[in-house]
Every structure is written in C-alpha cells, then in structure tokens.
Amino acid sequence: MTATKPRELRRDAAENRTRLLAAARELFAERGLDVTLNDIAHHAGVGVGTAYRRFANKEEVLESLFAEQTAEFGALADAALADADPWRGLVDFLEHALALQLRDKGLAQILNGDRLSVEQHAWNRTVMAPKYRALIERAREAGKLRDDVTGTDLTFIQVGLNAIMMRSRDAHPDLYRRYLHLMIDALRAEPGAPSPLPVPALTSDQTHAVMGPTR
C-alpha cells in the first residue's frame, strides 16, 4: 500500500490538471479571458483548493494553453501557404482564421494582444509575422494583390474585424464577414466588379443595439 500511494497521488494530480486545462479551454473559448481560476475549478468539477495547487493563478493556465491555442491558427497559415493559388490561399486564410476566432473568444483576445506575457507577444513577431509576409508576397508576385499591401496589414485587418466581431458575436455572429469581403475586394490588384456580400447590413436599430453600452 505505501509503495503505490505516491504513484496514485501523482496520477490524481495529473488527471486534475488535465481536467482543469480542458475546462479552461472551454471557458476561454466561450467567455474569453475574463474567467477566473474559481470559474475554471467549478467547470472542471474540482475543488478550488485543488485548482490552486495545480496553478498559482489564471496566468499560469493561459501559459499552459498558449501553444495549444495558437497551434491551429499557425496551421491555417501553413495550409494557405501550401495552396497552389496564392490569392485563394490568402483569402482562405482570412476566412478560416476569423471563423476560428469567432468560435474561440479567448484566442481572438490573444491574437489582439490582450493580456499577453512578453513571451506570448513574441509569438506574433517570430512565428506569425513571417507567415503573413510570405502570404502577402506570394499573392503580390502572382499579380493578384495591390503592391502597397504588407504583412502587417494582415494583423490590423484582423484587429479591425475582431472589433466588429466582439460587438456583434451574440446577436449577429456572421456580421464581420460582410466587412471581410469588402476588405478582400479592396486588397485586389484589379478589383473589377464587386463581389456579392455574404451578409446583409444591419438596420439602424440593429446597429444602435450592437453599439450600445457593453456593461
């Protein structure tokens, strides 16, 4: 009995940590980064004391999940770079990257620079910035993209569309796609006829509701 008890405790601790991380992943996706470690413990079905034995604070949970949260996002850029059609790859990246951020509110906040550690912030520069530059250069060299667009524009396009998404995600979750397609037309080297917009504009009353106080 005494020989196996330490192993059982370690196994229990590992299981609790796994449950806490899974719960945190779900809550961050649904509610964003404002959830507390107490919220995570309750969602995981473990005691608050157990949560604090595994993680000193919520920031440690975010650190543990960071690689998982961003791996799928980086893979979207890699898939776009592998597309034989550079313009299609660029458009698909924006479509899928923003759809992922719609599903995962916490990831959207991370990509917008909310409450990141220095190391996490560096991920945008060292991992994503080169991918953005490559996406832009391929589309430009193919003659599909305006000459004056740069890799950093992909960052701010997403930041701008995320602002729309954060405001409208509950009542009008697809609204950001209207402005994404307007932006895509603006990126073309030869705009031609405007593309059909996938989402209708909001009415004045709907816009007033979306732009009302958030608290």
Side-chain angles (χ1 to χ4, degrees):
M1 293 291 291
T2 57
T4 60
K5 190 172 183 180
R7 286 195 296 273
E8 291 171 354
L9 290 174
R10 284 195 296 271
R11 183 172 65 249
D12 288 346
E15 290 173 352
N16 284 334
R17 187 177 190 278
T18 299
R19 291 170 68 183
L20 286 162
L21 288 174
R25 188 74 172 87
E26 291 177 5
L27 287 180
F28 288 146
E30 179 183 350
R31 292 163 48 186
L33 303 181
D34 288 335
V35 299
T36 66
L37 193 51
N38 286 19
D39 294 331
I40 294 167
H42 293 148
H43 194 64
V46 305
V48 173
T50 298
Y52 279 94
R53 283 193 293 274
R54 303 281 73 81
F55 301 99
N57 48 50
K58 182 179 67 177
E59 283 63 38
E60 284 194 3
V61 180
L62 285 168
E63 290 282 354
S64 298
L65 285 175
F66 183 76
E68 176 188 339
Q69 286 178 300
T70 54
E72 185 176 359
F73 190 82
L76 292 176
D78 291 336
L81 289 168
D83 194 315
D85 183 328
W87 175 255
R88 182 177 61 201
L90 176 61
V91 172
D92 283 354
F93 169 74
L94 287 170
E95 285 272 19
H96 290 110
L98 285 155
L100 177 58
Q101 292 170 68
L102 179 67
R103 296 195 304 271
D104 191 331
K105 188 175 182 179
L107 176 62
Q109 289 177 290
I110 286 172
L111 293 170
N112 277 276
D114 290 357
R115 284 171 288 184
L116 290 187
S117 68
V118 173
E119 293 77 13
Q120 291 170 339
H121 186 65
W123 172 83
N124 281 310
R125 174 185 288 272
T126 60
V127 177
M128 291 310 302
K131 297 180 192 294
Y132 287 170
R133 287 194 296 270
L135 284 167
I136 291 300
E137 288 166 6
R138 291 177 77 238
R140 186 190 299 118
E141 289 171 2
K144 301 295 185 179
L145 183 70
R146 293 172 52 146
D147 288 337
D148 54 355
V149 177
T150 72
T152 57
D153 289 323
L154 290 187
T155 296
F156 289 106
I157 286 170
Q158 292 179 81
V159 169
L161 292 170
N162 246 303
I164 297 171
M165 187 186 297
M166 288 296 183
R167 280 282 185 173
S168 61
R169 70 189 309 136
D170 293 331
H172 309 280
D174 289 336
L175 180 64
Y176 78 92
R177 296 190 66 240
R178 176 180 180 84
Y179 301 98
L180 170 60
H181 280 254
L182 286 169
M183 186 66 68
I184 289 170
D185 273 359
L187 292 172
R188 295 178 187 272
E190 298 179 4
S195 304
L197 297 178
V199 180
L202 297 187
T203 66
S204 180
D205 287 344
Q206 289 171 326
T207 300
H208 184 75
V210 164
M211 296 304 294
T214 57
R215 294 183 183 277

